[in-house]
Amino acid sequence: MSALAPDSQYIHTDKIEGVPYQLLADKVPTPFYAYSATQIKTDFAELKRILPQGIDYFYSLKANPNKTLVALLHQAGTGCEVCSLVELEIALRQGVAPGDIIFVGPGKHINELTQCCLAGIKAVVVESIEEMHLLNDIAAGLGVVQNIALRINPDFTGEKAKLVMSGKPRQFGIDEQLLPQAFAVLGKLVQLRLAGIHIYLGTRILDWQALANNTQNILALAATLQQDYGIDLDFVDVGGGFGVRYFDKEKALDLAALGEALLPVVNNYRQRFPRCKIVIELGRFLIARAGIFVTRVNYLKPSRDEWFAVCDGGANCHGSAAGINSLIRRNFPMARLGPPRRNNDQHRYQVTGPLCTPTDLLGENVLLAELRSGDLIGIGHSGAYGASASPVSFLSFGHPAEVLVENDQAFLIRAADSVDTLLAPQVYQCLSLAHG
Ligand SMILES: Cc1ncc(COP(=O)(O)O)c(C=O)c1O
């Protein structure tokens, strides 16, 4: 029933759950994202079933902040990891208890820290000594004690991460060498309570052994700190960075092997620190496989000896598929959607979007069933870092629509931007400046 077979390059080309793509495209303007509710639930249930029991999972809203999806994951049992005021508000308005929210990020604004204190969230993950001072002052002003977690930039790096976030000079976290200073300062900041340790090593890791080693290294460092400083923690957030397979040569993460490898690591730690919870924060792994990006072929044109399928949505709505932020762009799983035609021969296409740049390339030399203008193309594994991580304002196309499908029902969960919604914030207002 699911939209995409888990961890497969295969796309169901006719339907998402019980709903034909063509029916959705009749109701919603292309391009759009469609998500399978069943697959979101199944992917999370599988993860919980296979990894050691008793781990707390936090959904990283940066992967996809749509409030309906946040609510769905929260109902399935995740907390929320947020990084901005709006992400915090999304979580709170979707009924996530403040005690199930952590706020992470190296550049938190005073307003964000204030809202965290007012809501009384589970922890502000502090990333510098200066931030600790600022948060303490804010908490003092509000007359509250705020829980924090120290984000540490450890001496070790993450194994096999595509984006390395530690072990070198980074804006993230407090360097391991600075911890004695940080603990000394923290001892004097009476409005802050140390509730946790947070270490995030990197993302898009597909190697179970690397993930197990990373977790082992993090828990070992946490244990040393707990012992050396005599601290009693509520939780250690060991990050995550679990990858999903996008490209032909990638191998899906072996969850069963990861679960087996993590069990002794987690059990050893728990024997020593039974009260301390282990937290994993994940975005991509919880949402990527459930989403498909649907774009329509507007024009088919030959150029020299190649065929271009020029679509109505490209890098502006799906920057990840176009390789924005990647060193090398490779093709996401892609297929022509809809019932097969009599002649199902494969043809080679350059799949592009509507932007005036050659980098607006969704698929290079992709083999697809023969296309006609008006056809729908689906890009799989697109639930994470889609529109929200794309330059949706470029050429003023705006944010595409989003649809959630469950069985044979479909719900619009975000309307596409319109001319009016795009133009409304553009104003011409005199700023009353006080001179002299
Ligand atoms: C601190 C932190 N947490 C969570 C995430 C989510 O990562 P992913 O979507 O790969 O799980 C990121 C991504 O960069 C991150 O920096």
Side-chain angles (χ1 to χ4, degrees):
M1 285 302 283
S2 57
L4 311 167
D7 284 323
S8 145
Q9 303 292 69
Y10 180 71
I11 298 176
H12 287 263
T13 52
D14 50 348
K15 296 175 181 181
I16 175 165
E17 302 218 7
V19 180
Y21 293 107
Q22 192 55 57
L23 269 189
L24 291 179
D26 291 344
K27 294 272 180 197
V28 177
T30 53
F32 62 85
Y33 281 88
Y35 309 100
S36 156
T38 306
Q39 179 132 17
I40 294 172
K41 292 182 210 171
T42 309
D43 287 342
F44 183 47
E46 277 287 284
L47 179 73
K48 274 197 302 191
R49 186 177 65 76
I50 295 172
L51 294 202
Q53 299 306 295
I55 291 175
D56 285 347
Y57 295 94
F58 277 61
Y59 173 57
S60 302
L61 270 69
K62 59 176 80 59
N64 190 325
N66 187 290
K67 62 184 189 177
T68 305
L69 305 179
V70 172
L72 207 162
L73 278 162
H74 178 58
Q75 277 153 21
T78 69
C80 288
E81 182 253 320
V82 302
C83 289
S84 69
L85 198 55
V86 173
E87 287 190 358
L88 174 63
E89 277 302 316
I90 291 170
L92 290 170
R93 291 182 194 191
Q94 293 311 107
V96 182
D100 289 331
I101 301 174
I102 59 172
F103 197 120
V104 182
K108 299 180 205 78
H109 192 271
I110 291 175
N111 290 347
E112 293 165 337
L113 293 173
T114 304
Q115 286 307 317
C116 290
C117 291
L118 286 171
I121 64 169
K122 177 184 175 76
V124 175
V125 179
V126 294
E127 311 234 8
S128 66
I129 292 175
E130 191 174 359
E131 187 188 354
M132 279 167 30
H133 283 291
L134 176 60
L135 183 63
N136 188 68
D137 289 349
I138 293 169
L142 295 171
V144 299
V145 172
Q146 176 59 47
N147 277 346
I148 63 161
L150 276 191
R151 180 167 181 181
I152 299 170
N153 175 1
D155 292 341
F156 49 87
T157 53
E159 282 187 30
K160 302 274 173 83
K162 299 277 188 311
L163 204 65
V164 174
M165 320 271 276
S166 70
K168 41 173 82 174
R170 281 287 182 259
Q171 68 270 50
F172 312 112
I174 298 171
D175 287 357
E176 192 176 332
Q177 294 96 320
L178 290 178
L179 285 178
Q181 194 186 330
F183 280 112
V185 169
L186 193 55
K188 296 188 191 125
L189 300 178
V190 295
Q191 306 299 134
L192 305 185
R193 173 180 170 270
L194 181 62
I197 296 270
H198 177 285
I199 298 182
Y200 194 85
L201 298 179
T203 70
R204 288 208 49 220
I205 305 169
L206 288 165
D207 182 319
W208 61 268
Q209 188 68 64
L211 285 170
N213 293 349
N214 290 344
T215 309
Q216 161 76 48
N217 290 339
I218 291 169
L219 290 178
L221 175 57
T224 306
L225 295 173
Q226 282 165 283
Q227 212 163 28
D228 290 358
Y229 291 93
I231 43 179
D232 178 27
L233 296 175
D234 298 345
F235 71 95
V236 177
D237 183 331
V238 297
F242 296 11
V244 303
R245 183 172 73 159
Y246 291 117
F247 311 121
D248 275 348
K249 291 201 176 101
E250 287 182 330
K251 218 166 144 246
L253 174 61
D254 185 341
L255 262 192
L258 177 63
E260 226 172 279
L262 280 183
L263 195 60
V265 175
V266 164
N267 283 346
N268 284 345
Y269 180 81
R270 281 191 181 136
Q271 267 163 20
R272 295 179 63 191
F273 305 98
R275 200 187 76 77
C276 184
K277 297 287 290 193
I278 292 173
V279 168
I280 295 182
E281 60 185 58
L282 296 170
R284 192 185 314 271
F285 197 78
L286 296 181
I287 201 81
R289 288 165 290 170
I292 184 163
F293 177 64
V294 180
T295 185
R296 191 185 292 280
V297 179
N298 271 353
Y299 299 96
L300 271 166
K301 54 172 285 188
S303 174
R304 306 291 193 268
D305 51 358
E306 294 181 1
W307 274 94
F308 284 76
V310 185
C311 300
D312 56 8
N316 52 313
C317 320
H318 201 340
S320 304
I324 293 179
N325 294 331
S326 306
L327 288 178
I328 310 168
R329 85 150 297 290
R330 284 178 286 185
N331 295 336
F332 271 48
M334 198 175 295
R336 184 180 80 78
L337 304 177
R341 298 209 171 99
R342 206 171 295 158
N343 176 358
N344 217 17
D345 291 351
Q346 301 268 296
H347 294 258
R348 188 176 298 275
Y349 294 100
Q350 314 304 324
V351 180
T352 67
L355 303 184
C356 312
T357 158
T359 56
D360 187 9
L361 183 64
L362 290 175
E364 189 173 11
N365 292 321
V366 199
L367 288 175
L368 297 171
E370 187 174 6
L371 294 172
R372 295 182 193 156
S373 298
D375 278 352
L376 299 176
I377 291 179
I379 300 184
H381 289 193
S382 292
Y385 304 104
S388 65
S390 302
V392 293
S393 298
F394 194 35
L395 266 59
S396 299
F397 282 109
H399 199 294
E402 294 177 295
V403 178
L404 181 68
V405 179
E406 183 149 28
N407 302 318
D408 57 359
Q409 288 199 300
F411 304 87
L412 183 68
I413 59 171
R414 176 177 179 131
D417 277 340
S418 65
V419 172
D420 286 344
T421 59
L422 284 163
L423 289 184
Q426 294 197 27
V427 293
Y428 187 72
Q429 274 171 1
C430 181
L431 299 172
S432 327
L433 306 173
H435 290 283

